[in-house]
Amino acid sequence: MNEDLFFKDLDAHRWDLTVFDEESVEKQPVLRVGLVATFYLVDAYLPVRRKHIAEAFELYCNHYGDKLTCGYMGSEEVITQEFCPSTMRHCLSYIQSDGYSDSASFMWSSQQGFEHPGEYMFEALLPVEWFERIHNALSVIRFYLPLEEIKDNGAGGIDKLIFDMCNILRPLHGSAGLGIQNSYELQNYQHIEYDLLENYRGLDLTLLIANESWRTGYTNLNWYTYIAHHWVRKLGTTEDLLKQLDDVRIGILPYEWGTIFRAGDWPALGKADIDPRPELYVMVNEVIKPLRVSNIGSLHYGSIAGEVRFNERTSNLWMRRFDLPKGSPKHQPTPLYRRLSAEEQQRLNTDKKILDDFLK
């Protein structure tokens, strides 16, 4: 998929991907699809880890801080505050509070209030040390961007942002790409999330409160999927991964603390009746799924009026949506996109030089 095809596909389905509350007079979305990046961290109560989270928030603010208008700080009571330079400095100090005695929680958004999702948003949920130790909790960092950011800055700009964030945050695992951007009233719209995720298989759903089993494997596969190096080593070296994912459209981006897998130059919507298993997502999934958690748990609360929401069974089926049916043949590299060996690349460079010299 190229840029033109991606945005043509997006425009064709744009109104399916933005949900309004019909009873609201405010005429603002209560749920939308945009860029969502989520990072699951361990030991984030340590001073050095809290410092990294502050650096990640500062990086986001350097790019998009002028878009943020409102939010909160504090894990005991949610009090709305205006976002401004002094608030940002206060938040940076707050993030670096003592993780051995204090949890930390904050959210800053481009949207006033909590009933509607902001197109730009950065939030964190950082448990105190004793809570993480006893309950095997994970710290979670998540941010939103509008899809227009890809159009304005290109996929390369997102590439660099994700790479920089992973280097700073050192996540155990996480994902970024097309996802559900919801508000703090998310429980009211989980049945709509279910419908969206059933109809668009390329969309992701991430949670701020992680299941303790999520320490045992990654949970989400998206356009970008990042996994810590001590897990990725189980799959082999970077060279081994390049051989298994023999397609130049797939990015394998090692960094100091792990590896980022990028399933194509552009994300895929994965419309269920057209492209339910996007090719590159399936290829990445087939290679890394040995590292996946065995049971993701339930992604939604229980139904309260007969509406369909995710339960534990359907959540696990959704997590496995890119799995090929049992007995399916192994995906063969497409000759057009296969990676060149070092020898082939050298011959190609030599031939190019000969041609260039001839044309001079």
Side-chain angles (χ1 to χ4, degrees):
M1 177 179 289
N2 58 34
E3 181 177 2
D4 290 339
L5 286 175
F6 170 69
F7 284 106
K8 182 179 179 181
D9 194 26
L10 190 66
D11 288 340
H13 300 283
R14 184 172 293 274
W15 290 109
D16 290 339
L17 307 177
T18 306
V19 178
F20 295 83
D21 186 342
E22 295 178 357
E23 298 181 359
S24 173
V25 297
E26 296 176 304
K27 306 300 181 185
Q28 295 189 57
V30 293
L31 182 152
R32 68 159 64 86
V33 170
L35 287 172
V36 178
T38 308
F39 306 81
Y40 295 104
L41 318 181
V42 294
D43 301 334
Y45 55 83
L46 295 171
V48 67
R49 302 287 276 140
R50 290 286 182 94
K51 180 175 180 291
H52 294 155
I53 294 165
E55 290 172 359
F57 177 55
E58 189 169 23
L59 174 63
Y60 185 89
C61 289
N62 288 341
H63 287 285
Y64 312 111
D66 60 326
K67 311 292 186 184
L68 304 178
T69 61
C70 177
Y72 76 90
M73 286 181 291
S75 55
E76 298 297 327
E77 189 175 2
V78 176
I79 300 175
T80 304
Q81 302 181 43
E82 297 297 316
F83 187 82
C84 62
S86 63
T87 312
M88 187 189 79
R89 291 191 294 272
H90 184 197
C91 188
L92 291 172
S93 176
Y94 166 72
I95 294 169
Q96 298 179 75
S97 58
D98 184 1
Y100 284 96
S101 59
D102 296 310
S103 60
S105 177
F106 66 92
M107 185 278 292
W108 301 105
S109 171
S110 58
Q111 175 66 46
Q112 292 285 336
F114 300 105
E115 294 182 353
H116 306 282
E119 290 188 297
Y120 296 86
M121 188 276 297
F122 192 104
E123 64 183 335
L125 185 63
L126 313 175
V128 67
E129 181 271 340
W130 67 263
F131 190 89
E132 175 170 340
R133 176 169 43 82
I134 293 174
H135 298 285
N136 286 322
L138 290 168
S139 292
V140 184
I141 311 296
R142 182 167 64 181
F143 66 76
Y144 295 168
L145 293 173
L147 295 173
E148 284 69 26
E149 284 294 336
I150 310 181
K151 182 179 290 187
D152 295 342
N153 299 309
I158 304 300
D159 239 26
K160 186 176 187 314
L161 179 63
I162 297 301
F163 189 84
D164 290 345
M165 285 288 185
C166 283
N167 263 313
I168 294 171
L169 291 170
R170 310 176 187 182
L172 181 63
H173 60 88
S175 61
L178 301 181
I180 302 288
Q181 296 181 345
N182 46 35
S183 70
Y184 268 59
E185 304 293 332
L186 58 93
Q187 69 277 356
N188 294 334
Y189 308 106
Q190 288 181 340
H191 59 294
I192 299 175
E193 288 182 352
Y194 181 89
D195 287 340
L196 268 175
L197 295 168
E198 282 293 295
N199 289 314
Y200 295 92
R201 314 313 293 275
L203 303 185
D204 202 5
L205 176 64
T206 60
L207 303 182
L208 261 189
I209 300 177
N211 186 313
E212 67 178 59
S213 68
W214 296 7
R215 282 175 168 261
T216 64
Y218 77 88
T219 55
N220 297 73
L221 186 147
N222 203 336
W223 182 22
Y224 293 89
T225 306
Y226 20 95
I227 302 174
H229 60 79
H230 62 284
W231 284 359
V232 174
R233 275 203 301 264
K234 299 175 184 178
L235 302 176
T237 64
T238 299
E239 289 71 26
D240 295 330
L241 292 171
L242 288 169
K243 290 178 182 177
Q244 294 179 70
L245 292 168
D246 189 11
D247 193 306
V248 294
R249 296 171 295 174
I250 295 174
I252 300 176
L253 313 171
Y255 63 101
E256 185 176 359
W257 310 100
T259 298
I260 302 168
F261 298 87
R262 187 189 63 230
D265 293 328
W266 299 91
L269 278 173
K271 189 74 168 69
D273 57 352
I274 299 172
D275 184 25
R277 290 192 181 97
E279 177 190 12
L280 301 183
Y281 287 48
V282 169
M283 290 175 64
V284 172
N285 177 69
E286 286 300 300
V287 170
I288 70 173
K289 71 180 182 182
L291 305 178
R292 187 173 62 196
V293 69
S294 60
N295 184 352
I296 197 173
S298 181
L299 296 172
H300 281 164
Y301 303 134
S303 172
I304 58 174
E307 76 284 3
V308 179
R309 306 186 186 208
F310 279 115
N311 56 28
E312 185 173 338
R313 183 185 68 83
T314 53
S315 297
N316 278 289
L317 288 173
W318 174 81
M319 181 180 68
R320 293 167 170 82
R321 66 198 182 281
F322 300 127
D323 288 7
L324 293 173
K326 287 185 178 180
S328 297
K330 184 178 179 181
H331 185 278
Q332 297 301 315
T334 305
L336 180 62
Y337 298 114
R338 72 177 182 85
R339 302 181 193 276
L340 296 178
S341 66
E343 294 78 10
E344 289 173 321
Q345 186 64 56
Q346 186 175 5
R347 285 200 302 270
L348 186 65
N349 292 340
T350 301
D351 292 344
K352 182 178 182 299
K353 185 177 185 306
I354 292 172
L355 180 60
D356 289 344
D357 291 342
F358 175 76
L359 294 175
K360 283 182 180 178

